[in-house]
Amino acid sequence: MNKLSVFALALSVALPFYAVAQDVEENEVMSSATFEGLEVRNIGPAYMSGRVADIAVDQNDPSIWYVGIASGGVWKTANAGTTWKPIFEDQDVYSIGDVTIDPSNSNVIWVGTGENNAGRHIAFGDGVYKSINGGKTWENMGLANSEHIGDIIIHPDDSNTVWVSAQGPLWSKGGQRGVYKTTDGGETWNNVLEIDEWTGVGSLAIDPSNPDKLYAAAWQRQRSIAALMDTGPGSALYTSDDGGETWTEMTEGLPEGNMGKIGITVSPIDPNVVYAVIEL
């Protein structure tokens, strides 16, 4: 029996966006010639920049992508990856955690700075930025002490309502941690889910059929030179039914004991299906 593996790799260390085809055995039905067009090809932009943190594709024009590099700013392509342009070169920070396109206006781009990981090598950010002209110019919209941003969610019908998951400092307690919400386009922020001085929120998701329904993944962690404390009682999953104003901790069906980093997302096909990747 033929064993054919086609891997779609997004290598976060050096060379992202590869497609590799490997033909293990040949026969009359399938051979290497069948897949000879699937060649390894680097389409950038992180050959030198390092890890890819996030990708946002314009749903009104799928040839326009914004790619946030964990240690190399934000890059934009207007031709589906054929060429790239750096668009975050003049800012004070270079580490990126999230890039989000406003679903109501593709010219409005939000960027959360500070890679949301816990390695010794990562750099911190200075809050969230907003562009109203497709990344030509940027304005810092606050949350400077968040240092590491997980996700930015924009209300599908109200561009002024935005939620941000802030992980907070890696090497120390305090800072700005939790879920922050703005209803005036980033002029002011309210911490609607605050847990403790060591716990932030690393991942945030919204129900595509109900913008009042949100999910948040809290992550307790502390880095020192010698080690990483990557878990604790603060790590948990939360849900909100009122647009993030109040939150309820979810416990049913989850692992017992302390959890580590958690990623969460909602199925776009069936919003009753919610996926959580939990580090144990």
Side-chain angles (χ1 to χ4, degrees), residues 10-251:
L11 298 184
S12 62
V13 176
L15 303 177
F17 310 135
Y18 279 86
V20 178
Q22 181 183 21
D23 198 354
V24 180
E25 296 180 3
E26 296 184 5
N27 64 14
E28 296 180 356
V29 179
M30 287 188 178
S31 68
S32 58
T34 307
F35 299 94
E36 62 183 5
L38 296 177
E39 298 179 357
V40 176
R41 184 168 65 95
N42 177 18
I43 63 172
Y47 182 76
M48 296 298 293
S49 299
R51 301 165 302 282
V52 171
D54 196 23
I55 303 171
V57 179
D58 188 341
Q59 297 303 298
N60 296 314
D61 184 352
S63 64
I64 298 177
W65 311 348
Y66 298 87
V67 177
I69 308 299
S71 57
V74 181
W75 295 70
K76 180 179 180 178
T77 177
N79 49 30
T82 302
T83 59
W84 296 88
K85 179 182 179 180
I87 59 173
F88 207 73
E89 297 287 272
D90 297 327
Q91 311 313 315
D92 293 333
V93 294
Y94 61 86
S95 181
I96 306 300
D98 185 81
V99 181
T100 299
I101 302 172
D102 188 335
S104 300
N105 185 348
S106 296
N107 288 317
V108 177
I109 316 298
W110 285 77
V111 167
T113 61
E115 176 186 0
N116 188 32
N117 279 314
R120 296 182 184 90
H121 57 285
I122 71 171
F124 57 87
D126 64 352
V128 293
Y129 287 76
K130 179 182 178 181
S131 172
I132 60 173
N133 51 22
K136 294 178 181 178
T137 59
W138 298 92
E139 181 181 0
N140 188 303
M141 304 307 297
L143 304 182
N145 295 320
S146 60
E147 295 199 11
H148 303 279
I149 297 295
D151 291 304
I152 300 173
I153 304 290
I154 304 172
H155 194 288
D157 304 314
D158 179 9
S159 297
N160 287 321
T161 298
V162 180
W163 300 269
V164 173
S165 65
Q167 184 57 50
L170 173 61
W171 296 83
S172 63
K173 62 185 178 180
Q176 291 176 297
R177 301 174 183 266
V179 175
Y180 285 83
K181 180 180 180 180
T182 179
T183 57
D184 54 17
E187 296 298 324
T188 59
W189 296 91
N190 183 30
N191 190 344
V192 293
L193 177 58
E194 185 176 11
I195 300 161
D196 63 55
E197 59 188 1
W198 291 107
T199 304
V201 173
S203 185
L204 190 64
I206 191 170
D207 185 331
S209 66
N210 178 10
D212 286 330
K213 183 71 172 178
L214 297 165
Y215 300 90
W219 180 24
Q220 179 178 338
R221 55 103 169 98
Q222 178 192 2
R223 160 64 71 182
S224 69
I225 295 176
L228 169 66
M229 182 64 71
D230 198 25
T231 185
S235 296
L237 288 171
Y238 293 86
T239 185
S240 172
D241 292 314
D242 55 8
E245 296 301 317
T246 60
W247 296 83
T248 301
E249 183 176 351
M250 298 184 292
T251 58

